[in-house]
Amino acid sequence: MRLSRYFLPILKETPKEAEIVSHRLMLRASMIRQQSAGIYSWLPLGLRVLDRIADIVREEQNRSGAIEVLMPTVQSADLWRESGRYDAYGKEMLRITDRHEREMLYGPTNEEMITDIFRASVRSYRDLPLNLYHIQWKFRDEVRPRFGVMRGREFLMKDAYSFDTDMERAKEAYNRMFVAYLRTFRRLGLTAIPMRADTGPIGGDLSHEFIILADTGESAVFCDKALLDLPIPGEDTDFTGDLSPIVKAWTTPYAATEEMHDETAFAGVPEERKVAARGIEVGHIFYFGTKYSEPMGAKVAGPDGTERPVHMGSYGIGVSRLLGAIIEASHDDAGIIWPDSVAPFDVGLINLKPGDAPTDEAVAVIERELEAAGLSVLTDDVDTRAGAKFAAMDLIGLPWQLIVGPRGLATGEVELKRRATGERETISLEAAINRLTAGRR
Amino acid sequence: MRLSRYFLPILKETPKEAEIVSHRLMLRASMIRQQSAGIYSWLPLGLRVLDRIADIVREEQNRSGAIEVLMPTVQSADLWRESGRYDAYGKEMLRITDRHEREMLYGPTNEEMITDIFRASVRSYRDLPLNLYHIQWKFRDEVRPRFGVMRGREFLMKDAYSFDTDMERAKEAYNRMFVAYLRTFRRLGLTAIPMRADTGPIGGDLSHEFIILADTGESAVFCDKALLDLPIPGEDTDFTGDLSPIVKAWTTPYAATEEMHDETAFAGVPEERKVAARGIEVGHIFYFGTKYSEPMGAKVAGPDGTERPVHMGSYGIGVSRLLGAIIEASHDDAGIIWPDSVAPFDVGLINLKPGDAPTDEAVAVIERELEAAGLSVLTDDVDTRAGAKFAAMDLIGLPWQLIVGPRGLATGEVELKRRATGERETISLEAAINRLTAGRR
């Protein structure tokens, strides 16, 4: 992509309304634009990251055996009356009346609707286990939206819902999501720690939050440092097998959010391994048994022919919130430092002298070669000062910068910079291309 | 994907509420489920098609130079007051009041919001041309939603918005979308005819609808048969060049929707080339000049430093509606016939005797080979009657069926069926795999 044809209206000034670094950087890098309180447009750079995050989430959901659907954003109030949550949900629910005076709402979550889909089509234990997920916009009418996409009102969430014949099998479904979440967050470049959590308005008696540690986190968290070094289950994990040993390894060391914190238990953690920090919730999983299936009549016949309500769980990942969380965990004074897996472009290719024919030509050749190897490239072909180019590239945080100018080209050299380390190297054009495309073709 | 682990709750009975064939088939094939009037969940099979259509739309938008963004579904009423449309829009607009009594709405289209994004960040003619698009859910509170996804209330639309310094350049932008639309619909397996159209609530003085001919179409259309045979611009089309000859070729023969129909002009079409038929609108493009930029103050400075309102156009494709339109254009008594480009799976692999070890083994090998070649495969590994398997495969309309059973395998043979023609061939296993994977590796 050529910058001259792209839409990247970078802000020179730091927006005053932004209280935390991720919000400031997302606004400055023109990833998002606020349209109303807690409601954002995703500009091209932000959307690319959002899509890459969603793709990783999707891949890991699919790997675990979950199946993708897409439920609408607008729901009927009647469905929520069946579970009793329509009145209970409070002001966070955005209530809507349509032209025929029917009561509707903008879905804050989808337990009721997925239960409705299930009861309409599944009759037998033979169709289980089943886990359906979607990645869809939700709305929660927060009284005080803030921190940019971290606590927005309209936000993108992945929510999965599992259906099983009994508690034991439902816990297997829970374990599959638990492991999928460990893999998902690691692939996003995050260290997320599962912590026993309160179940809140979803209900149920088993729940973990996945929390990443960050100074700007919204809640206090307490855990055993051992959790930071546990290995993540590999790509070859057998999701049809017994995952309980993995879950056990991850749930045995102490870890809890503020609400669930137990000073007595925490005292048992060796002093040098005690972590008391602040955390950002990026995922939340629940087992809630028959809380929805019972009142809504979602039953399946067992092998003996008897119908019983299914045991359910739900599993959320805050997809749009993850952009903020990743930036909170990965930035420096100059800007964002994207993990390779979610960067909006792999390489920022800087033309130091647009209009100079040999430089333009060299840049075009490099761009072609990198793209042919499957790399995405943002080429700065705009006629601005070198200092402004470097600052903008650092701000938007692409993993690699390749700097090409007439002086270096005279001796066949370019400069390659790794954003994360700041390391810069002057090397031959060929070596730079080889370095970037290694393992790609 | 194994059917035994998939979610495909096919309906045996034809749903009574469905008036047109695409709606009936989408319900029977469990592609969608109605949640409220005009509001649907997309079940796994439907979502796969929706995603494939959106991907083709996206590729052709990108090819034409448009840049993807994503605007939120919920908008502020104030923005619509600036253009004067908040009061003018009527009951089709779903109006919402949030917890702080602020007036909001669920966006039916995005002219105002994109103009707001533009005016906040673009100042100079040097940043033009610019075309920003998004693929996002919209809501129109139709008084009588019907025909399934063809006239739903919550629907997925691609809408693009172009910004140029003057009318001449705006028409170049219009032409780029015109050509992109010709390519998009052809890639979706459709013959879409651009017709001069009324501009309706969007406004402006130049507009074309892209219409496919179908008996169940919502409006009468009239055109010259010559349009059905015009060549579609190729993949190598230069979108930075002059596209007006292509647009001229497509707009010279007579074509008009009911509202714009001119009997006198139509009389000039030779009798044998007159087409009077019914049509389904799948796209609509508009040039409306400064209708929004003027009241909303979206101006850029020209080379002489003078600020002038930008000239705009907007360009819509009904992405979710296209599923219905494609089915209306491509089905038979047995079910859907998907064009290869949007089929939910490329191949339906039918195991005639699940549980029979040699058959299971052969099916597993075939599945692996096809998937390794990049084909998507839905394997029917469920223990049901052969007749039910064939009927279900015909209903869901995958382009190829590969039928594997113990009798054929005894002589190394399988049956290959092309859904569109019904042609069936008994050939060797190897030949079948070669046929399906030809040109794929």
Side-chain angles (χ1 to χ4, degrees), chain A residues 5-7 9 33 35-37 39-44 47 67-74 76 91-92 94-100 102 104 106 113 116-117 120-122 130 132 136-137 139 141-143 153-154, chain B residues 5-7 9 33 35-37 39-44 47 67-74 76 91-92 94-100 102 104 106 113 116-117 120-122 130 132 136-137 139 141-143 153-154:
Chain A
R5 293 176 216 146
Y6 202 49
F7 184 61
R33 172 175 163 72
Q35 301 293 161
S36 306
I39 303 179
Y40 293 87
S41 281
W42 295 79
L43 303 187
L47 180 58
I67 301 167
E68 191 172 8
V69 298
L70 186 60
M71 289 175 271
T73 60
V74 175
S76 151
K91 290 202 156 190
E92 275 197 15
L94 189 69
R95 292 158 209 261
I96 305 172
T97 306
D98 76 5
R99 70 188 294 167
H100 298 299
R102 278 175 298 218
M104 314 289 289
Y106 197 122
M113 192 177 279
D116 175 59
I117 291 173
S121 31
V122 182
L130 181 65
L132 300 173
Q136 176 64 296
W137 294 91
F139 203 99
D141 202 358
E142 297 268 356
V143 63
R153 294 200 290 166
E154 185 169 334
Chain B
R5 292 176 216 148
Y6 201 50
F7 183 61
R33 171 174 164 74
Q35 301 293 162
S36 307
I39 303 179
Y40 293 87
S41 281
W42 295 79
L43 303 188
L47 180 59
I67 302 167
E68 190 173 8
V69 297
L70 185 61
M71 289 175 270
T73 60
V74 175
S76 150
K91 289 203 158 188
E92 275 197 15
L94 189 69
R95 292 159 209 260
I96 305 172
T97 305
D98 75 6
R99 69 188 295 167
H100 298 300
R102 279 175 298 217
M104 315 289 289
Y106 197 122
M113 193 178 278
D116 175 59
I117 291 172
S121 31
V122 182
L130 182 65
L132 299 173
Q136 176 64 296
W137 294 91
F139 203 99
D141 203 359
E142 298 268 355
V143 63
R153 295 200 291 166
E154 185 169 334

Side-chain angles (χ1 to χ4, degrees), chain B residues 115-391:
Chain B
T115 304
D116 175 59
I117 291 172
F118 182 90
R119 71 181 171 187
S121 31
V122 182
R123 296 273 169 275
S124 162
Y125 74 97
R126 280 186 296 262
D127 296 323
L128 305 184
L130 182 65
N131 185 327
L132 299 173
Y133 76 97
H134 73 160
I135 301 177
Q136 176 64 296
W137 294 91
K138 311 287 191 296
F139 203 99
R140 289 188 192 159
D141 203 359
E142 298 268 355
V143 63
R144 197 189 152 207
R146 55 187 172 152
F147 302 153
V149 298
M150 296 279 281
R151 186 164 292 217
R153 295 200 291 166
E154 185 169 334
F155 60 98
L156 187 62
M157 183 160 89
K158 185 286 299 179
D159 37 328
Y161 303 90
S162 66
F163 302 90
D164 289 276
T165 48
D166 54 37
M167 186 169 93
E168 196 185 328
R169 289 194 177 80
K171 286 196 175 165
E172 290 168 13
Y174 188 91
N175 289 348
R176 283 193 289 275
M177 280 294 115
F178 191 105
V179 172
Y181 277 32
L182 290 175
R183 286 190 44 75
T184 301
F185 296 123
R186 180 56 55 90
R187 285 188 59 192
L188 296 174
L190 296 171
T191 300
I193 302 168
M195 302 193 180
R196 277 302 292 267
D198 193 19
T199 54
I202 304 281
D205 47 23
L206 174 60
S207 173
H208 285 89
E209 282 181 7
F210 287 75
I211 303 269
I212 62 165
L213 307 183
D215 295 341
T216 49
E218 67 242 303
S219 63
V221 296
F222 305 87
C223 71
D224 185 332
K225 209 176 175 180
L227 286 163
L228 299 175
D229 303 316
L230 276 180
I232 298 291
E235 214 172 277
D236 57 349
T237 302
D238 176 11
F239 279 91
T240 65
D242 180 12
L243 301 175
S244 60
I246 300 174
V247 174
K248 192 165 179 210
W250 278 90
T251 51
T252 302
Y254 187 85
T257 58
E258 211 162 10
E259 301 83 17
M260 302 288 279
H261 185 48
D262 173 351
E263 273 298 343
T264 319
F266 194 50
V269 178
E271 209 54 44
E272 74 280 10
R273 293 209 324 247
K274 274 186 183 160
V275 178
R278 299 200 68 81
I280 299 172
E281 181 200 329
V282 287
H284 202 159
I285 63 179
F286 301 89
Y287 161 70
F288 45 70
T290 60
K291 179 175 155 73
Y292 299 91
S293 58
E294 184 103 49
M296 294 185 66
K299 299 174 189 174
V300 292
D304 61 355
T306 314
E307 288 196 331
R308 288 191 192 82
V310 286
H311 285 246
M312 294 174 57
S314 73
Y315 314 91
I317 291 181
V319 177
S320 47
R321 142 174 283 229
L322 272 166
L323 277 94
I326 291 170
I327 295 173
E328 291 294 332
S330 184
H331 67 271
D332 62 16
D333 288 345
I336 303 165
I337 302 171
W338 290 115
D340 290 18
S341 59
V342 300
F345 295 91
D346 300 311
V347 182
L349 176 59
I350 299 178
N351 183 336
L352 286 178
K353 202 168 182 185
D356 175 61
T359 310
D360 289 349
E361 174 59 24
V363 164
V365 169
I366 296 168
E367 186 180 50
R368 211 151 49 222
E369 293 217 21
L370 296 178
E371 288 179 347
L375 291 159
S376 55
V377 181
L378 180 64
T379 303
D380 180 350
D381 60 341
V382 175
D383 189 14
T384 44
R385 286 180 310 104
K389 286 171 184 278
F390 297 148

